[in-house]
PDB file of all heavy atoms in Angstrom:
ATOM      1  N   ARG A 194       0.099  -1.323  10.622  1.00 98.00           N
ATOM      2  CA  ARG A 194      -0.911  -0.625  11.420  1.00 98.00           C
ATOM      3  C   ARG A 194      -0.579  -0.763  12.900  1.00 98.00           C
ATOM      4  O   ARG A 194      -0.702  -1.843  13.481  1.00 98.00           O
ATOM      5  CB  ARG A 194      -2.320  -1.146  11.167  1.00 98.00           C
ATOM      6  CG  ARG A 194      -3.331  -0.330  12.006  1.00 98.00           C
ATOM      7  CD  ARG A 194      -4.762  -0.510  11.610  1.00 98.00           C
ATOM      8  NE  ARG A 194      -5.579   0.538  12.235  1.00 98.00           N
ATOM      9  CZ  ARG A 194      -6.790   0.892  11.844  1.00 98.00           C
ATOM     10  NH1 ARG A 194      -7.351   0.274  10.835  1.00 98.00           N
ATOM     11  NH2 ARG A 194      -7.436   1.854  12.448  1.00 98.00           N
ATOM     12  N   PRO A 195      -0.176   0.342  13.503  1.00 98.00           N
ATOM     13  CA  PRO A 195       0.022   0.313  14.947  1.00 98.00           C
ATOM     14  C   PRO A 195      -1.305   0.511  15.675  1.00 98.00           C
ATOM     15  O   PRO A 195      -2.349   0.572  15.035  1.00 98.00           O
ATOM     16  CB  PRO A 195       0.966   1.497  15.184  1.00 98.00           C
ATOM     17  CG  PRO A 195       0.734   2.434  14.059  1.00 98.00           C
ATOM     18  CD  PRO A 195       0.155   1.642  12.909  1.00 98.00           C
ATOM     19  N   SER A 196      -1.281   0.581  16.965  1.00 98.00           N
ATOM     20  CA  SER A 196      -2.389   0.905  17.884  1.00 98.00           C
ATOM     21  C   SER A 196      -3.285  -0.270  18.221  1.00 98.00           C
ATOM     22  O   SER A 196      -4.271  -0.117  18.934  1.00 98.00           O
ATOM     23  CB  SER A 196      -3.246   2.075  17.367  1.00 98.00           C
ATOM     24  OG  SER A 196      -4.325   1.602  16.570  1.00 98.00           O
ATOM     25  N   GLY A 197      -2.966  -1.450  17.727  1.00 98.00           N
ATOM     26  CA  GLY A 197      -3.694  -2.644  18.141  1.00 98.00           C
ATOM     27  C   GLY A 197      -4.937  -2.974  17.340  1.00 98.00           C
ATOM     28  O   GLY A 197      -5.541  -4.015  17.564  1.00 98.00           O
ATOM     29  N   GLU A 198      -5.344  -2.100  16.431  1.00 98.00           N
ATOM     30  CA  GLU A 198      -6.526  -2.421  15.623  1.00 98.00           C
ATOM     31  C   GLU A 198      -6.121  -3.353  14.479  1.00 98.00           C
ATOM     32  O   GLU A 198      -5.089  -3.151  13.844  1.00 98.00           O
ATOM     33  CB  GLU A 198      -7.151  -1.154  15.015  1.00 98.00           C
ATOM     34  CG  GLU A 198      -7.419  -0.026  15.978  1.00 98.00           C
ATOM     35  CD  GLU A 198      -8.347  -0.402  17.126  1.00 98.00           C
ATOM     36  OE1 GLU A 198      -8.943  -1.498  17.120  1.00 98.00           O
ATOM     37  OE2 GLU A 198      -8.436   0.426  18.053  1.00 98.00           O
ATOM     38  N   LEU A 199      -6.967  -4.353  14.237  1.00 98.00           N
ATOM     39  CA  LEU A 199      -6.639  -5.328  13.202  1.00 98.00           C
ATOM     40  C   LEU A 199      -7.594  -5.178  12.026  1.00 98.00           C
ATOM     41  O   LEU A 199      -8.410  -6.037  11.759  1.00 98.00           O
ATOM     42  CB  LEU A 199      -6.706  -6.753  13.772  1.00 98.00           C
ATOM     43  CG  LEU A 199      -5.906  -6.993  15.057  1.00 98.00           C
ATOM     44  CD1 LEU A 199      -6.101  -8.412  15.560  1.00 98.00           C
ATOM     45  CD2 LEU A 199      -4.412  -6.730  14.832  1.00 98.00           C
ATOM     46  N   ARG A 200      -7.549  -4.030  11.391  1.00 98.00           N
ATOM     47  CA  ARG A 200      -8.412  -3.827  10.219  1.00 98.00           C
ATOM     48  C   ARG A 200      -7.765  -2.814   9.284  1.00 98.00           C
ATOM     49  O   ARG A 200      -6.837  -2.102   9.655  1.00 98.00           O
ATOM     50  CB  ARG A 200      -9.794  -3.348  10.655  1.00 98.00           C
ATOM     51  CG  ARG A 200      -9.781  -2.101  11.534  1.00 98.00           C
ATOM     52  CD  ARG A 200     -11.194  -1.617  11.878  1.00 98.00           C
ATOM     53  NE  ARG A 200     -11.140  -0.555  12.865  1.00 98.00           N
ATOM     54  CZ  ARG A 200     -11.311  -0.729  14.185  1.00 98.00           C
ATOM     55  NH1 ARG A 200     -11.547  -1.924  14.663  1.00 98.00           N
ATOM     56  NH2 ARG A 200     -11.219   0.297  15.018  1.00 98.00           N
ATOM     57  N   LEU A 201      -8.333  -2.744   8.077  1.00 98.00           N
ATOM     58  CA  LEU A 201      -7.786  -1.844   7.055  1.00 98.00           C
ATOM     59  C   LEU A 201      -8.403  -0.450   7.113  1.00 98.00           C
ATOM     60  O   LEU A 201      -7.802   0.509   6.635  1.00 98.00           O
ATOM     61  CB  LEU A 201      -8.020  -2.425   5.655  1.00 98.00           C
ATOM     62  CG  LEU A 201      -6.996  -3.447   5.170  1.00 98.00           C
ATOM     63  CD1 LEU A 201      -7.395  -3.964   3.799  1.00 98.00           C
ATOM     64  CD2 LEU A 201      -5.602  -2.837   5.087  1.00 98.00           C
ATOM     65  N   SER A 202      -9.608  -0.348   7.676  1.00 98.00           N
ATOM     66  CA  SER A 202     -10.296   0.947   7.713  1.00 98.00           C
ATOM     67  C   SER A 202     -10.263   1.668   6.359  1.00 98.00           C
ATOM     68  O   SER A 202      -9.919   2.857   6.286  1.00 98.00           O
ATOM     69  CB  SER A 202      -9.724   1.834   8.825  1.00 98.00           C
ATOM     70  OG  SER A 202      -9.843   1.206  10.074  1.00 98.00           O
ATOM     71  N   ASN A 203     -10.579   0.928   5.318  1.00 98.00           N
ATOM     72  CA  ASN A 203     -10.722   1.526   3.971  1.00 98.00           C
ATOM     73  C   ASN A 203      -9.398   1.983   3.352  1.00 98.00           C
ATOM     74  O   ASN A 203      -9.361   2.884   2.520  1.00 98.00           O
ATOM     75  CB  ASN A 203     -11.717   2.694   4.051  1.00 98.00           C
ATOM     76  CG  ASN A 203     -12.451   2.931   2.753  1.00 98.00           C
ATOM     77  OD1 ASN A 203     -12.296   2.184   1.774  1.00 98.00           O
ATOM     78  ND2 ASN A 203     -13.235   3.988   2.695  1.00 98.00           N
ATOM     79  N   PHE A 204      -8.297   1.376   3.774  1.00 98.00           N
ATOM     80  CA  PHE A 204      -6.974   1.760   3.264  1.00 98.00           C
ATOM     81  C   PHE A 204      -6.536   0.827   2.136  1.00 98.00           C
ATOM     82  O   PHE A 204      -6.525  -0.393   2.316  1.00 98.00           O
ATOM     83  CB  PHE A 204      -5.964   1.710   4.411  1.00 98.00           C
ATOM     84  CG  PHE A 204      -4.578   2.182   4.055  1.00 98.00           C
ATOM     85  CD1 PHE A 204      -4.360   3.484   3.629  1.00 98.00           C
ATOM     86  CD2 PHE A 204      -3.478   1.337   4.159  1.00 98.00           C
ATOM     87  CE1 PHE A 204      -3.081   3.944   3.315  1.00 98.00           C
ATOM     88  CE2 PHE A 204      -2.194   1.783   3.855  1.00 98.00           C
ATOM     89  CZ  PHE A 204      -2.008   3.081   3.430  1.00 98.00           C
ATOM     90  N   MET A 205      -6.227   1.372   0.984  1.00 98.00           N
ATOM     91  CA  MET A 205      -5.590   0.661  -0.127  1.00 98.00           C
ATOM     92  C   MET A 205      -6.238  -0.691  -0.449  1.00 98.00           C
ATOM     93  O   MET A 205      -5.547  -1.710  -0.529  1.00 98.00           O
ATOM     94  CB  MET A 205      -4.104   0.411   0.193  1.00 98.00           C
ATOM     95  CG  MET A 205      -3.324   1.649   0.598  1.00 98.00           C
ATOM     96  SD  MET A 205      -2.185   2.195  -0.658  1.00 98.00           S
ATOM     97  CE  MET A 205      -3.050   3.647  -1.184  1.00 98.00           C
ATOM     98  N   LEU A 206      -7.534  -0.693  -0.609  1.00 98.00           N
ATOM     99  CA  LEU A 206      -8.252  -1.951  -0.830  1.00 98.00           C
ATOM    100  C   LEU A 206      -7.771  -2.667  -2.081  1.00 98.00           C
ATOM    101  O   LEU A 206      -7.579  -3.880  -2.092  1.00 98.00           O
ATOM    102  CB  LEU A 206      -9.756  -1.682  -0.911  1.00 98.00           C
ATOM    103  CG  LEU A 206     -10.389  -1.046   0.321  1.00 98.00           C
ATOM    104  CD1 LEU A 206     -11.886  -0.909   0.136  1.00 98.00           C
ATOM    105  CD2 LEU A 206     -10.079  -1.848   1.575  1.00 98.00           C
TER     106      LEU A 206
END
Side-chain angles (χ1 to χ4, degrees):
R194 182 166 194 162
S196 91
E198 309 302 351
L199 308 177
R200 55 177 172 263
L201 276 178
S202 302
N203 208 4
F204 184 62
M205 307 252 108
L206 300 183

